[in-house]
Amino acid sequence: MNNIISVTIKDIGLFVNTDELTTFMESAKTSLIALREGRGRGNEFTGWLRLPDKTVSETEGIRKCAARLRSQAPVTVVVGIGGSYLGAKALTEALRDPFGKQEHTLVFAGHTLSEDYHAALLRFLDSTLYNIVVISKSGTTTEPAIAFRILRDHLHNKVGERGMKSHIVAITDARRGALHSLAVSEGYETFVIPDDVGGRYSVLTPVGMLPLALAGYDIDAFAEGMRDMALSVREGNDTASNIAIAYAAARNTLYQNGYTTEILISYEPALVFLAEWWKQLYGESEGKESKGIFPSSVSFTTDLHSMGQYIQQGERKLFETVIHVEEPHHRLVVPGASDDSDGIGFIAGKTLSEVNHKAEAGTRIAHTEGGVPVITVSLQRIDEYNLGQLMYFFELACAVSGYVLGVNPFDQPGVESYKKNMFALLGKPGFEAERERLEGELKAQG
Ligand code: PA5
């Protein structure tokens, strides 16, 4: 087995009582066992736990489909929102060369209702041939449904009725939902999101894997990372070595002590969307029943020049989870300069990573001294294998953490409220009374 991600929680010792942490460790251990044995809340959605042992059989079909789509168009639009969007976005943003020409261009739609965004997307698509991969487990989510309608019309004008079938792939439920019915009637190639895997835990299904393969990344290495993490946390059921238990226990202990906001921090801009994926995972899983840590994120050192001030001296209810990346892929040395007018001659000859790591170490000490507890998650480098490990670790720790908190980490009942109101205000049949009430409220608000 390769290097396994590690988690350091010792730095929170200054802020919480050791006995309390031990109690939460025990609770996290019990929660992990309940999760594995299918005895916790929402246990019908724990299929993702076993995905690392199953994925191999599916990768061949994903690879073939990706090769076919890549051979017939230079661009694919991936349509989806929430768990049907963020995993693929996080992975492809983490792995891509920010300035290089992509082998196959992935663009995203259906994650916003912005007219301008979609108009700009259509302008871009006007001049290129493309495929659509539409992802929705329920098959009824409004944002991707709207985007898919618009894109279908646009694509039809380009490839005609006969071309549609080969240019569209659907990833959805095996039996139910509008997207499933449409895919069957139109004969689109389809992939299944298993019944027992919820959206935000679905990155190791075709939801994450097909876009990853399309963008030209190594899906086997990603699956192997997930598998190695699953094995590692399976072996380490005891509190000391199981990083999922350690992380879940540490954050719940901090929450109990008034640290209600967690900031995920990375010093690599490639991980900005990984943080978006993490926020959805933890926010949707834990924020319910008037409880839950508020997940937020910053990108350092960039945001040390914006949010750094608040974190250092603002209200003391924050804690940090820092993703430490050990090795860069490239080596770049700060050059010497004869005049040293910028005063950084003492850094000349050091690599940027040495400087970045010192910034990280210095910030950790400053923030700890400023009253902000820090948890550290360390990985070797940013690649498919390590991202597989990291994502499985965060998923497992999230489920355990939700159980420790006493909520169902697999539902999202609160998401329905905005939809109900939006449908009523848009005049959906059956919502007439609600529409009247909401319009009255809007009038009263001026
Ligand atoms: O995690 C979740 O379950 C949600 O964020 C869903 O992924 C999101 O609402 C999209 O749902 P669907 O895939 O049904 O379109």
Side-chain angles (χ1 to χ4, degrees):
M1 207 182 276
N2 296 295
N3 268 316
I4 289 292
I5 286 170
S6 64
V7 173
T8 308
I9 60 166
K10 66 173 174 29
D11 300 345
I12 73 164
L14 284 172
F15 302 90
V16 297
N17 175 294
T18 326
D19 291 343
E20 207 179 346
L21 182 60
T22 308
T23 308
F24 273 105
M25 286 277 197
E26 280 309 313
S27 166
K29 182 179 174 182
T30 314
S31 297
L32 179 57
I33 294 169
L35 179 73
R36 289 217 177 97
E37 293 179 353
R39 289 185 286 102
R41 288 174 74 181
N43 61 31
E44 64 278 27
F45 290 109
T46 52
W48 55 272
L49 270 174
R50 294 168 290 280
L51 281 177
D53 303 322
K54 289 184 180 168
T55 337
V56 178
S57 57
E58 218 175 3
T59 47
E60 205 36 52
I62 290 172
R63 233 190 309 273
K64 267 196 192 140
C65 176
R68 180 178 69 75
L69 295 179
R70 280 165 66 105
S71 71
Q72 69 185 14
V75 173
T76 297
V77 188
V78 180
V79 180
I81 195 165
S84 292
Y85 155 65
L86 283 162
K89 179 76 176 170
L91 283 169
T92 50
E93 286 292 317
L95 295 168
R96 82 189 182 100
D97 172 349
F99 304 106
K101 190 166 160 23
Q102 288 165 265
E103 269 187 63
H104 181 84
T105 304
L106 280 197
V107 290
F108 292 86
H111 57 294
T112 166
L113 289 170
S114 163
E115 195 156 4
D116 286 343
Y117 179 88
H118 287 97
L121 175 61
L122 292 185
R123 268 201 311 279
F124 165 68
L125 296 174
D126 277 343
S127 59
T128 182
L129 188 57
Y130 63 95
N131 312 295
I132 303 173
V133 172
V134 54
I135 310 175
S136 177
K137 185 175 182 196
S138 64
T140 53
T141 308
T142 313
E143 291 88 340
I146 292 174
F148 188 40
R149 267 197 191 200
I150 294 170
L151 287 162
R152 259 163 60 212
D153 279 357
H154 189 267
L155 185 65
H156 193 272
N157 290 335
K158 227 177 241 287
V159 300
E161 191 57 35
R162 287 181 54 200
M164 295 293 274
K165 198 168 133 182
S166 68
H167 282 270
I168 298 177
V169 173
I171 305 177
T172 188
D173 189 89
R175 287 171 293 276
R176 289 178 296 267
L179 180 58
H180 169 74
S181 311
L182 183 72
V184 170
S185 73
E186 297 294 315
Y188 303 150
E189 180 169 2
T190 56
F191 288 92
V192 168
I193 310 173
D195 275 349
D196 55 2
V197 179
R200 58 191 175 273
Y201 294 85
S202 70
V203 68
L204 192 60
T205 70
V207 172
M209 301 277 270
L210 182 58
L212 194 59
L214 269 167
Y217 299 114
D218 185 346
I219 55 174
D220 292 324
F222 179 65
E224 191 190 341
M226 284 247 171
R227 210 158 30 246
D228 282 358
M229 178 52 71
L231 268 177
S232 154
V233 285
R234 212 172 284 158
E235 282 159 8
N237 239 340
D238 59 315
T239 50
S241 63
N242 192 312
I243 60 173
I245 289 178
Y247 181 51
R251 56 199 298 286
N252 273 286
T253 313
L254 288 164
Y255 180 58
Q256 196 63 36
N257 284 276
Y259 296 95
T260 55
T261 298
E262 177 174 11
I263 313 173
L264 191 76
I265 295 172
S266 147
Y267 286 71
E268 292 292 339
L271 295 183
V272 163
F273 270 92
L274 192 279
E276 296 303 313
W277 171 84
W278 172 89
K279 283 192 277 193
Q280 187 222 355
L281 179 64
Y282 280 78
E284 265 191 356
S285 299
E286 293 190 318
K288 50 197 73 161
E289 299 172 30
S290 306
K291 305 193 252 197
I293 295 166
F294 183 78
S296 64
S297 64
V298 292
S299 179
F300 284 169
T301 61
T302 313
D303 292 333
L304 281 171
H305 299 261
S306 64
M307 298 302 286
Q309 171 58 39
Y310 188 104
I311 297 171
Q312 189 68 49
Q313 294 182 326
E315 202 177 337
R316 301 297 72 188
K317 58 180 181 187
L318 313 172
F319 70 96
E320 296 179 350
T321 295
V322 177
I323 301 182
H324 169 81
V325 180
E326 192 53 40
E327 289 170 8
H329 290 284
H330 305 282
R331 197 181 133 82
L332 203 57
V333 173
V334 179
S338 51
D339 60 353
D340 199 29
S341 58
D342 52 13
I344 57 165
F346 67 101
I347 301 173
K350 295 189 192 302
T351 65
L352 253 67
S353 265
E354 283 178 86
V355 181
N356 209 11
H357 283 162
K358 292 290 183 242
E360 184 183 319
T363 307
R364 172 177 295 115
I365 294 169
H367 287 182
T368 305
E369 288 175 354
V372 180
V374 180
I375 297 170
T376 307
V377 176
S378 304
L379 59 141
Q380 197 68 23
R381 67 182 74 83
I382 300 173
D383 59 13
E384 293 90 328
Y385 176 75
N386 279 277
L387 289 167
Q389 279 199 34
L390 186 65
M391 288 173 123
Y392 191 84
F393 155 68
F394 274 138
E395 287 179 1
L396 186 68
C398 180
V400 171
S401 196
Y403 280 176
V404 172
L405 186 66
V407 298
N408 176 355
F410 307 115
D411 67 2
Q412 54 283 331
V415 178
E416 294 310 311
S417 306
Y418 100 89
K419 288 187 195 164
K420 213 164 56 62
N421 288 357
M422 177 177 73
F423 290 150
L425 287 169
L426 286 167
K428 184 171 178 172
F431 286 68
E432 291 76 8
E434 199 52 21
R435 181 181 189 179
E436 205 173 306
R437 183 184 77 76
L438 292 169
E439 284 185 339
E441 282 214 4
L442 287 176
K443 217 177 259 166
Q445 284 171 18

